Amino acid sequence: MATDPTSLLSVNAASGAYRASRDMTARNVAPAGQETARPSFGDMVSKAGADALQTVREAEATAQTGLRGNADTQTVVEATLELDTTVKTAVAVRDRLVEAYQEIIRMPI
């Protein structure tokens, strides 16, 4: 059975992320009798989306400031590169979610 190396990487990355999230929630365990508010997966995705949107807004503001001549070139380039990384990450996550959805749809009932 031949395996696609990219699928192995994605499985390893996903399992590593799952273990990391479990470790994070395990560290948030409260003493007996006290409950802590653990963030749900939806909350984590929502926060990541809000952080990405904030990065985009900051990069746009920096670019506009640079166009007016009020920001140095290095600051504009750094903001643009951070924006590029954020967009690439968001697209990669979207692609993985669509791929997972398609896999679920193909499952026999």
Side-chain angles (χ1 to χ4, degrees):
M1 177 176 157
T3 56
D4 179 21
T6 58
S7 67
L8 291 175
L9 291 175
S10 63
V11 169
N12 288 335
S15 63
Y18 178 73
R19 280 192 302 276
S21 70
R22 288 193 58 145
D23 291 344
M24 280 183 9
T25 55
R27 282 187 239 127
N28 292 334
V29 175
Q34 295 180 1
E35 297 223 5
T36 61
R38 294 184 194 162
S40 69
F41 178 74
D43 292 340
M44 289 190 295
V45 171
S46 177
K47 183 178 180 333
D51 291 346
L53 184 60
Q54 183 64 29
T55 300
V56 170
R57 288 181 178 158
E58 289 173 0
E60 287 177 351
T62 303
Q64 290 175 1
T65 304
L67 289 173
R68 282 187 236 117
N70 297 332
D72 62 341
T73 306
Q74 182 176 354
T75 304
V76 173
V77 170
E78 288 172 354
T80 304
L81 290 175
E82 188 173 352
L83 171 64
D84 182 53
T85 302
T86 301
V87 169
K88 284 181 181 178
T89 302
V91 169
V93 168
R94 182 212 55 199
D95 291 346
R96 292 291 181 173
L97 288 173
V98 168
E99 183 180 321
Y101 176 77
Q102 290 172 342
E103 287 291 322
I104 290 169
I105 293 299
R106 282 188 232 137
M107 287 182 180
I109 297 177

